[in-house]
Amino acid sequence: MAKKDKQQKLKLPLAYKPLGFVIGWAGGTLAGLAFQATWKAIRHEDDAPDPLDRERGWGEVLLAAALQGAIFAVVRSAVNRTGAKAVERTTGVWPSDGKKDDKKAEAAS
């Protein structure tokens, strides 16, 4: 690997962090809107139950929490993956610090 490529690969994860933060924030906002719309479609209510709301039952509270968690996980993964692909297309380098890849390489050897 050329020295220039290696330096670029080392600098990109640090440069990607602010972009990753913005992408994560946007993804969280999008996930919140998706959850609100989903909850309204399922229960015909504007607000999901709060765990401390005495009027709501266990099933309703846990359903809302599970649904919210699933939506947030899917949206977060989709947004992060899309951002990483865009960075790779733009720079030619995948925005990873390589720590997970290093562990896989060590385990394989």
Side-chain angles (χ1 to χ4, degrees):
M1 181 184 297
K3 188 172 184 172
K4 183 180 176 183
D5 291 339
K6 191 172 185 177
Q7 286 176 341
Q8 182 184 13
K9 190 166 183 127
L10 291 175
K11 290 180 183 178
L12 187 61
L14 184 59
Y16 179 74
K17 293 224 186 264
L19 179 62
F21 175 77
V22 171
I23 289 171
W25 179 79
T29 301
L30 182 63
L33 294 172
F35 172 68
Q36 285 178 340
T38 303
W39 188 257
K40 190 169 186 164
I42 291 172
R43 299 289 298 185
H44 306 292
E45 298 173 350
D46 289 331
D47 295 323
D50 184 82
L52 299 178
D53 188 350
R54 187 177 287 229
E55 305 300 317
R56 306 289 185 121
W58 275 95
E60 189 176 14
V61 169
L62 295 179
L63 172 65
L67 185 61
Q68 185 178 30
I71 289 172
F72 269 80
V74 168
V75 171
R76 179 180 167 206
S77 294
V79 168
N80 284 338
R81 184 72 178 196
T82 301
K85 287 287 219 176
V87 167
E88 183 183 38
R89 269 187 304 238
T90 304
T91 65
V93 179
W94 188 259
S96 171
D97 60 5
K99 291 179 183 174
K100 291 180 183 176
D101 295 335
D102 292 344
K103 289 178 184 175
K104 287 180 186 174
E106 288 175 13
S109 54

